[in-house]
Amino acid sequence: QKEVEQDPGPLSVPEGAIVSLNCTYSNSAFQYFMWYRQYSRKGPELLMYTYSSGNKEDGRFTAQVDKSSKYISLFIRDSQPSDSATYLCAMSVEGNKLVFGAGTILRVKS
Amino acid sequence: EAQVTQNPRYLITVTGKKLTVTCSQNMNHEYMSWYRQDPGLGLRQIYYSMNVEVTDKGDVPEGYKVSRKEKRNFPLILESPSPNQTSLYFCASKRIDSNQPQHFGDGTRLSIL
């Protein structure tokens, strides 16, 4: 079993939809949780960074961490075609070594 | 502009021919790391470095070497490349403080024939 599980998709939604992306994990020692966005032929760029449990909001993006369920989510409101990318969840125990999910491909249709 | 720069961006080579992928960062970061990205497997850490002359194995170090002689540079060396090392490689750097995010380069696509 992988340490971090993420549905690879692809997930296809119409423009303006609310998108929900999720990851589950098995290591209860993870305490740093991140979401990265990766466009084709580019490196991952950090979208959201959360320490421990709770919610964090930044514009159209909301990250949620539920440590009791070992489950994290990223919500994208009013999705745009420019949001089409691969979304990677990543986690860390001590803040330096990252463990990544496989990534979810998102396509937002105009 | 703060950035992580990898070279080359693309390389096709043959089995057994030694190659080096360079990585340089201009942010004075202590921590640097190499990952490989394969379909369905996400990014997996190959090697990392906490500072100059301090390196350690990640999850998939077999067949790779690294060095960290200067703070800004962290080259990845494949002494005898094999086809199973065909992959997309990313270098990343961050400040050593635990709550700082990693910054990634734009990747190097290696094809080993």
Side-chain angles (χ1 to χ4, degrees), chain A residues 22-48:
Chain A
N22 312 295
C23 288
T24 59
Y25 60 94
S26 57
N27 187 351
S28 58
F30 285 139
Q31 50 182 349
Y32 298 91
F33 303 91
M34 286 139 274
W35 286 95
Y36 283 84
R37 178 176 62 196
Q38 185 179 18
Y39 291 115
S40 179
R41 285 188 281 278
K42 301 289 282 185
E45 58 175 327
L46 183 71
L47 269 181
M48 302 289 281

PDB file of all heavy atoms in Angstrom, chain A residues 22-48:
ATOM      1  N   ASN A  22      -8.773  15.062  -3.599  1.00  0.00           N
ATOM      2  CA  ASN A  22      -8.569  14.424  -2.298  1.00  0.00           C
ATOM      3  C   ASN A  22      -7.351  13.525  -2.271  1.00  0.00           C
ATOM      4  O   ASN A  22      -6.943  12.979  -3.306  1.00  0.00           O
ATOM      5  CB  ASN A  22      -9.797  13.577  -1.954  1.00  0.00           C
ATOM      6  CG  ASN A  22     -11.094  14.331  -2.158  1.00  0.00           C
ATOM      7  OD1 ASN A  22     -11.357  15.300  -1.471  1.00  0.00           O
ATOM      8  ND2 ASN A  22     -11.872  13.916  -3.143  1.00  0.00           N
ATOM      9  N   CYS A  23      -6.822  13.354  -1.068  1.00  0.00           N
ATOM     10  CA  CYS A  23      -5.751  12.390  -0.816  1.00  0.00           C
ATOM     11  C   CYS A  23      -6.001  11.736   0.536  1.00  0.00           C
ATOM     12  O   CYS A  23      -6.476  12.400   1.462  1.00  0.00           O
ATOM     13  CB  CYS A  23      -4.372  13.054  -0.799  1.00  0.00           C
ATOM     14  SG  CYS A  23      -3.792  13.590  -2.418  1.00  0.00           S
ATOM     15  N   THR A  24      -5.663  10.459   0.624  1.00  0.00           N
ATOM     16  CA  THR A  24      -5.652   9.782   1.904  1.00  0.00           C
ATOM     17  C   THR A  24      -4.227   9.328   2.193  1.00  0.00           C
ATOM     18  O   THR A  24      -3.416   9.161   1.274  1.00  0.00           O
ATOM     19  CB  THR A  24      -6.590   8.564   1.916  1.00  0.00           C
ATOM     20  OG1 THR A  24      -6.175   7.656   0.881  1.00  0.00           O
ATOM     21  CG2 THR A  24      -8.029   8.985   1.663  1.00  0.00           C
ATOM     22  N   TYR A  25      -3.927   9.143   3.476  1.00  0.00           N
ATOM     23  CA  TYR A  25      -2.566   8.743   3.824  1.00  0.00           C
ATOM     24  C   TYR A  25      -2.611   7.782   4.993  1.00  0.00           C
ATOM     25  O   TYR A  25      -3.602   7.662   5.704  1.00  0.00           O
ATOM     26  CB  TYR A  25      -1.709   9.968   4.141  1.00  0.00           C
ATOM     27  CG  TYR A  25      -2.186  10.814   5.299  1.00  0.00           C
ATOM     28  CD1 TYR A  25      -1.685  10.615   6.592  1.00  0.00           C
ATOM     29  CD2 TYR A  25      -3.126  11.820   5.117  1.00  0.00           C
ATOM     30  CE1 TYR A  25      -2.106  11.390   7.646  1.00  0.00           C
ATOM     31  CE2 TYR A  25      -3.539  12.609   6.180  1.00  0.00           C
ATOM     32  CZ  TYR A  25      -3.036  12.388   7.433  1.00  0.00           C
ATOM     33  OH  TYR A  25      -3.462  13.165   8.494  1.00  0.00           O
ATOM     34  N   SER A  26      -1.488   7.085   5.186  1.00  0.00           N
ATOM     35  CA  SER A  26      -1.463   6.053   6.219  1.00  0.00           C
ATOM     36  C   SER A  26      -0.558   6.421   7.405  1.00  0.00           C
ATOM     37  O   SER A  26      -0.711   5.858   8.480  1.00  0.00           O
ATOM     38  CB  SER A  26      -0.995   4.731   5.618  1.00  0.00           C
ATOM     39  OG  SER A  26       0.282   4.876   5.012  1.00  0.00           O
ATOM     40  N   ASN A  27       0.378   7.346   7.215  1.00  0.00           N
ATOM     41  CA  ASN A  27       1.340   7.686   8.252  1.00  0.00           C
ATOM     42  C   ASN A  27       0.783   8.779   9.159  1.00  0.00           C
ATOM     43  O   ASN A  27       0.707   9.947   8.777  1.00  0.00           O
ATOM     44  CB  ASN A  27       2.650   8.148   7.605  1.00  0.00           C
ATOM     45  CG  ASN A  27       3.759   8.361   8.622  1.00  0.00           C
ATOM     46  OD1 ASN A  27       3.537   8.333   9.822  1.00  0.00           O
ATOM     47  ND2 ASN A  27       4.968   8.575   8.143  1.00  0.00           N
ATOM     48  N   SER A  28       0.432   8.425  10.371  1.00  0.00           N
ATOM     49  CA  SER A  28      -0.169   9.396  11.286  1.00  0.00           C
ATOM     50  C   SER A  28       0.828  10.452  11.771  1.00  0.00           C
ATOM     51  O   SER A  28       0.449  11.422  12.416  1.00  0.00           O
ATOM     52  CB  SER A  28      -0.775   8.670  12.491  1.00  0.00           C
ATOM     53  OG  SER A  28       0.214   7.909  13.152  1.00  0.00           O
ATOM     54  N   ALA A  29       2.105  10.274  11.466  1.00  0.00           N
ATOM     55  CA  ALA A  29       3.119  11.259  11.884  1.00  0.00           C
ATOM     56  C   ALA A  29       3.186  12.466  10.952  1.00  0.00           C
ATOM     57  O   ALA A  29       3.834  13.464  11.281  1.00  0.00           O
ATOM     58  CB  ALA A  29       4.493  10.598  11.964  1.00  0.00           C
ATOM     59  N   PHE A  30       2.538  12.403   9.788  1.00  0.00           N
ATOM     60  CA  PHE A  30       2.539  13.569   8.891  1.00  0.00           C
ATOM     61  C   PHE A  30       1.890  14.751   9.605  1.00  0.00           C
ATOM     62  O   PHE A  30       0.829  14.624  10.220  1.00  0.00           O
ATOM     63  CB  PHE A  30       1.767  13.283   7.609  1.00  0.00           C
ATOM     64  CG  PHE A  30       2.478  12.395   6.639  1.00  0.00           C
ATOM     65  CD1 PHE A  30       1.782  11.402   5.963  1.00  0.00           C
ATOM     66  CD2 PHE A  30       3.830  12.545   6.369  1.00  0.00           C
ATOM     67  CE1 PHE A  30       2.422  10.565   5.054  1.00  0.00           C
ATOM     68  CE2 PHE A  30       4.476  11.713   5.471  1.00  0.00           C
ATOM     69  CZ  PHE A  30       3.770  10.717   4.813  1.00  0.00           C
ATOM     70  N   GLN A  31       2.537  15.926   9.522  1.00  0.00           N
ATOM     71  CA  GLN A  31       1.928  17.110  10.107  1.00  0.00           C
ATOM     72  C   GLN A  31       2.013  18.332   9.200  1.00  0.00           C
ATOM     73  O   GLN A  31       1.467  19.378   9.523  1.00  0.00           O
ATOM     74  CB  GLN A  31       2.538  17.424  11.474  1.00  0.00           C
ATOM     75  CG  GLN A  31       4.038  17.454  11.529  1.00  0.00           C
ATOM     76  CD  GLN A  31       4.559  17.723  12.940  1.00  0.00           C
ATOM     77  OE1 GLN A  31       3.804  18.085  13.844  1.00  0.00           O
ATOM     78  NE2 GLN A  31       5.836  17.549  13.153  1.00  0.00           N
ATOM     79  N   TYR A  32       2.713  18.226   8.075  1.00  0.00           N
ATOM     80  CA  TYR A  32       2.769  19.308   7.090  1.00  0.00           C
ATOM     81  C   TYR A  32       2.100  18.794   5.823  1.00  0.00           C
ATOM     82  O   TYR A  32       2.463  17.723   5.314  1.00  0.00           O
ATOM     83  CB  TYR A  32       4.217  19.710   6.796  1.00  0.00           C
ATOM     84  CG  TYR A  32       4.958  20.236   7.998  1.00  0.00           C
ATOM     85  CD1 TYR A  32       5.680  19.378   8.815  1.00  0.00           C
ATOM     86  CD2 TYR A  32       4.930  21.587   8.313  1.00  0.00           C
ATOM     87  CE1 TYR A  32       6.359  19.856   9.919  1.00  0.00           C
ATOM     88  CE2 TYR A  32       5.617  22.072   9.417  1.00  0.00           C
ATOM     89  CZ  TYR A  32       6.328  21.197  10.208  1.00  0.00           C
ATOM     90  OH  TYR A  32       6.994  21.673  11.301  1.00  0.00           O
ATOM     91  N   PHE A  33       1.147  19.569   5.299  1.00  0.00           N
ATOM     92  CA  PHE A  33       0.353  19.121   4.163  1.00  0.00           C
ATOM     93  C   PHE A  33       0.345  20.212   3.098  1.00  0.00           C
ATOM     94  O   PHE A  33       0.112  21.389   3.396  1.00  0.00           O
ATOM     95  CB  PHE A  33      -1.079  18.800   4.605  1.00  0.00           C
ATOM     96  CG  PHE A  33      -1.138  17.775   5.689  1.00  0.00           C
ATOM     97  CD1 PHE A  33      -1.132  18.157   7.024  1.00  0.00           C
ATOM     98  CD2 PHE A  33      -1.188  16.424   5.370  1.00  0.00           C
ATOM     99  CE1 PHE A  33      -1.164  17.204   8.032  1.00  0.00           C
ATOM    100  CE2 PHE A  33      -1.222  15.468   6.371  1.00  0.00           C
ATOM    101  CZ  PHE A  33      -1.201  15.855   7.703  1.00  0.00           C
ATOM    102  N   MET A  34       0.599  19.809   1.869  1.00  0.00           N
ATOM    103  CA  MET A  34       0.732  20.750   0.778  1.00  0.00           C
ATOM    104  C   MET A  34      -0.037  20.299  -0.454  1.00  0.00           C
ATOM    105  O   MET A  34      -0.247  19.102  -0.655  1.00  0.00           O
ATOM    106  CB  MET A  34       2.216  20.894   0.373  1.00  0.00           C
ATOM    107  CG  MET A  34       3.062  21.676   1.340  1.00  0.00           C
ATOM    108  SD  MET A  34       4.694  20.933   1.572  1.00  0.00           S
ATOM    109  CE  MET A  34       4.353  19.740   2.866  1.00  0.00           C
ATOM    110  N   TRP A  35      -0.433  21.255  -1.236  1.00  0.00           N
ATOM    111  CA  TRP A  35      -0.958  21.008  -2.574  1.00  0.00           C
ATOM    112  C   TRP A  35      -0.093  21.773  -3.572  1.00  0.00           C
ATOM    113  O   TRP A  35       0.153  22.971  -3.413  1.00  0.00           O
ATOM    114  CB  TRP A  35      -2.407  21.456  -2.696  1.00  0.00           C
ATOM    115  CG  TRP A  35      -3.357  20.536  -2.001  1.00  0.00           C
ATOM    116  CD1 TRP A  35      -3.852  20.664  -0.735  1.00  0.00           C
ATOM    117  CD2 TRP A  35      -3.932  19.340  -2.540  1.00  0.00           C
ATOM    118  NE1 TRP A  35      -4.684  19.617  -0.456  1.00  0.00           N
ATOM    119  CE2 TRP A  35      -4.757  18.791  -1.545  1.00  0.00           C
ATOM    120  CE3 TRP A  35      -3.824  18.670  -3.772  1.00  0.00           C
ATOM    121  CZ2 TRP A  35      -5.474  17.612  -1.738  1.00  0.00           C
ATOM    122  CZ3 TRP A  35      -4.538  17.500  -3.958  1.00  0.00           C
ATOM    123  CH2 TRP A  35      -5.355  16.983  -2.953  1.00  0.00           C
ATOM    124  N   TYR A  36       0.355  21.043  -4.581  1.00  0.00           N
ATOM    125  CA  TYR A  36       1.124  21.642  -5.671  1.00  0.00           C
ATOM    126  C   TYR A  36       0.319  21.531  -6.954  1.00  0.00           C
ATOM    127  O   TYR A  36      -0.419  20.574  -7.171  1.00  0.00           O
ATOM    128  CB  TYR A  36       2.459  20.920  -5.874  1.00  0.00           C
ATOM    129  CG  TYR A  36       3.533  21.267  -4.862  1.00  0.00           C
ATOM    130  CD1 TYR A  36       3.597  20.627  -3.633  1.00  0.00           C
ATOM    131  CD2 TYR A  36       4.496  22.230  -5.159  1.00  0.00           C
ATOM    132  CE1 TYR A  36       4.594  20.937  -2.721  1.00  0.00           C
ATOM    133  CE2 TYR A  36       5.502  22.548  -4.253  1.00  0.00           C
ATOM    134  CZ  TYR A  36       5.543  21.891  -3.038  1.00  0.00           C
ATOM    135  OH  TYR A  36       6.537  22.213  -2.137  1.00  0.00           O
ATOM    136  N   ARG A  37       0.502  22.514  -7.848  1.00  0.00           N
ATOM    137  CA  ARG A  37      -0.085  22.482  -9.180  1.00  0.00           C
ATOM    138  C   ARG A  37       1.051  22.337 -10.178  1.00  0.00           C
ATOM    139  O   ARG A  37       2.076  23.017 -10.059  1.00  0.00           O
ATOM    140  CB  ARG A  37      -0.872  23.762  -9.432  1.00  0.00           C
ATOM    141  CG  ARG A  37      -1.487  23.874 -10.816  1.00  0.00           C
ATOM    142  CD  ARG A  37      -2.319  25.130 -10.920  1.00  0.00           C
ATOM    143  NE  ARG A  37      -1.529  26.331 -10.730  1.00  0.00           N
ATOM    144  CZ  ARG A  37      -2.060  27.536 -10.466  1.00  0.00           C
ATOM    145  NH1 ARG A  37      -3.367  27.677 -10.370  1.00  0.00           N
ATOM    146  NH2 ARG A  37      -1.261  28.572 -10.318  1.00  0.00           N
ATOM    147  N   GLN A  38       0.860  21.479 -11.172  1.00  0.00           N
ATOM    148  CA  GLN A  38       1.898  21.242 -12.164  1.00  0.00           C
ATOM    149  C   GLN A  38       1.303  21.343 -13.562  1.00  0.00           C
ATOM    150  O   GLN A  38       0.463  20.532 -13.947  1.00  0.00           O
ATOM    151  CB  GLN A  38       2.545  19.864 -11.964  1.00  0.00           C
ATOM    152  CG  GLN A  38       3.713  19.597 -12.887  1.00  0.00           C
ATOM    153  CD  GLN A  38       4.353  18.242 -12.648  1.00  0.00           C
ATOM    154  OE1 GLN A  38       3.774  17.348 -12.037  1.00  0.00           O
ATOM    155  NE2 GLN A  38       5.585  18.080 -13.120  1.00  0.00           N
ATOM    156  N   TYR A  39       1.752  22.342 -14.301  1.00  0.00           N
ATOM    157  CA  TYR A  39       1.373  22.460 -15.707  1.00  0.00           C
ATOM    158  C   TYR A  39       2.311  21.610 -16.547  1.00  0.00           C
ATOM    159  O   TYR A  39       3.434  21.288 -16.131  1.00  0.00           O
ATOM    160  CB  TYR A  39       1.434  23.924 -16.166  1.00  0.00           C
ATOM    161  CG  TYR A  39       0.380  24.815 -15.556  1.00  0.00           C
ATOM    162  CD1 TYR A  39       0.721  25.864 -14.704  1.00  0.00           C
ATOM    163  CD2 TYR A  39      -0.969  24.615 -15.837  1.00  0.00           C
ATOM    164  CE1 TYR A  39      -0.256  26.693 -14.160  1.00  0.00           C
ATOM    165  CE2 TYR A  39      -1.951  25.426 -15.287  1.00  0.00           C
ATOM    166  CZ  TYR A  39      -1.575  26.459 -14.437  1.00  0.00           C
ATOM    167  OH  TYR A  39      -2.540  27.266 -13.886  1.00  0.00           O
ATOM    168  N   SER A  40       1.845  21.294 -17.762  1.00  0.00           N
ATOM    169  CA  SER A  40       2.639  20.466 -18.654  1.00  0.00           C
ATOM    170  C   SER A  40       4.010  21.095 -18.911  1.00  0.00           C
ATOM    171  O   SER A  40       4.122  22.303 -19.138  1.00  0.00           O
ATOM    172  CB  SER A  40       1.888  20.293 -19.973  1.00  0.00           C
ATOM    173  OG  SER A  40       2.632  19.509 -20.877  1.00  0.00           O
ATOM    174  N   ARG A  41       5.056  20.299 -18.822  1.00  0.00           N
ATOM    175  CA  ARG A  41       6.446  20.713 -19.076  1.00  0.00           C
ATOM    176  C   ARG A  41       6.946  21.772 -18.087  1.00  0.00           C
ATOM    177  O   ARG A  41       7.868  22.538 -18.390  1.00  0.00           O
ATOM    178  CB  ARG A  41       6.618  21.204 -20.507  1.00  0.00           C
ATOM    179  CG  ARG A  41       6.645  20.066 -21.511  1.00  0.00           C
ATOM    180  CD  ARG A  41       7.017  20.579 -22.890  1.00  0.00           C
ATOM    181  NE  ARG A  41       5.919  21.219 -23.576  1.00  0.00           N
ATOM    182  CZ  ARG A  41       4.987  20.560 -24.243  1.00  0.00           C
ATOM    183  NH1 ARG A  41       5.024  19.264 -24.322  1.00  0.00           N
ATOM    184  NH2 ARG A  41       4.008  21.226 -24.844  1.00  0.00           N
ATOM    185  N   LYS A  42       6.330  21.808 -16.906  1.00  0.00           N
ATOM    186  CA  LYS A  42       6.791  22.718 -15.855  1.00  0.00           C
ATOM    187  C   LYS A  42       6.954  21.955 -14.545  1.00  0.00           C
ATOM    188  O   LYS A  42       6.442  20.847 -14.379  1.00  0.00           O
ATOM    189  CB  LYS A  42       5.789  23.863 -15.656  1.00  0.00           C
ATOM    190  CG  LYS A  42       5.542  24.698 -16.885  1.00  0.00           C
ATOM    191  CD  LYS A  42       6.742  25.560 -17.242  1.00  0.00           C
ATOM    192  CE  LYS A  42       6.814  26.771 -16.358  1.00  0.00           C
ATOM    193  NZ  LYS A  42       7.903  27.689 -16.768  1.00  0.00           N
ATOM    194  N   GLY A  43       7.685  22.572 -13.615  1.00  0.00           N
ATOM    195  CA  GLY A  43       7.826  21.975 -12.302  1.00  0.00           C
ATOM    196  C   GLY A  43       6.629  22.267 -11.418  1.00  0.00           C
ATOM    197  O   GLY A  43       5.844  23.183 -11.684  1.00  0.00           O
ATOM    198  N   PRO A  44       6.433  21.488 -10.356  1.00  0.00           N
ATOM    199  CA  PRO A  44       5.333  21.754  -9.422  1.00  0.00           C
ATOM    200  C   PRO A  44       5.505  23.124  -8.767  1.00  0.00           C
ATOM    201  O   PRO A  44       6.611  23.522  -8.426  1.00  0.00           O
ATOM    202  CB  PRO A  44       5.476  20.634  -8.384  1.00  0.00           C
ATOM    203  CG  PRO A  44       6.288  19.566  -9.054  1.00  0.00           C
ATOM    204  CD  PRO A  44       7.206  20.282  -9.968  1.00  0.00           C
ATOM    205  N   GLU A  45       4.385  23.827  -8.611  1.00  0.00           N
ATOM    206  CA  GLU A  45       4.388  25.100  -7.902  1.00  0.00           C
ATOM    207  C   GLU A  45       3.427  25.002  -6.716  1.00  0.00           C
ATOM    208  O   GLU A  45       2.342  24.435  -6.818  1.00  0.00           O
ATOM    209  CB  GLU A  45       3.987  26.257  -8.823  1.00  0.00           C
ATOM    210  CG  GLU A  45       2.634  26.102  -9.467  1.00  0.00           C
ATOM    211  CD  GLU A  45       2.213  27.313 -10.272  1.00  0.00           C
ATOM    212  OE1 GLU A  45       2.566  28.451  -9.904  1.00  0.00           O
ATOM    213  OE2 GLU A  45       1.501  27.116 -11.283  1.00  0.00           O
ATOM    214  N   LEU A  46       3.847  25.551  -5.586  1.00  0.00           N
ATOM    215  CA  LEU A  46       3.066  25.432  -4.364  1.00  0.00           C
ATOM    216  C   LEU A  46       1.786  26.260  -4.450  1.00  0.00           C
ATOM    217  O   LEU A  46       1.798  27.428  -4.783  1.00  0.00           O
ATOM    218  CB  LEU A  46       3.894  25.903  -3.171  1.00  0.00           C
ATOM    219  CG  LEU A  46       3.208  25.765  -1.818  1.00  0.00           C
ATOM    220  CD1 LEU A  46       3.108  24.288  -1.432  1.00  0.00           C
ATOM    221  CD2 LEU A  46       3.974  26.541  -0.749  1.00  0.00           C
ATOM    222  N   LEU A  47       0.657  25.594  -4.119  1.00  0.00           N
ATOM    223  CA  LEU A  47      -0.637  26.276  -4.053  1.00  0.00           C
ATOM    224  C   LEU A  47      -1.037  26.571  -2.611  1.00  0.00           C
ATOM    225  O   LEU A  47      -1.409  27.691  -2.275  1.00  0.00           O
ATOM    226  CB  LEU A  47      -1.724  25.390  -4.675  1.00  0.00           C
ATOM    227  CG  LEU A  47      -2.036  25.529  -6.146  1.00  0.00           C
ATOM    228  CD1 LEU A  47      -3.158  24.562  -6.507  1.00  0.00           C
ATOM    229  CD2 LEU A  47      -2.420  26.953  -6.504  1.00  0.00           C
ATOM    230  N   MET A  48      -0.993  25.557  -1.783  1.00  0.00           N
ATOM    231  CA  MET A  48      -1.470  25.678  -0.417  1.00  0.00           C
ATOM    232  C   MET A  48      -0.550  24.910   0.518  1.00  0.00           C
ATOM    233  O   MET A  48      -0.039  23.845   0.159  1.00  0.00           O
ATOM    234  CB  MET A  48      -2.903  25.122  -0.272  1.00  0.00           C
ATOM    235  CG  MET A  48      -3.921  25.787  -1.162  1.00  0.00           C
ATOM    236  SD  MET A  48      -4.292  27.471  -0.635  1.00  0.00           S
ATOM    237  CE  MET A  48      -5.411  27.147   0.728  1.00  0.00           C
TER     238      MET A  48
END
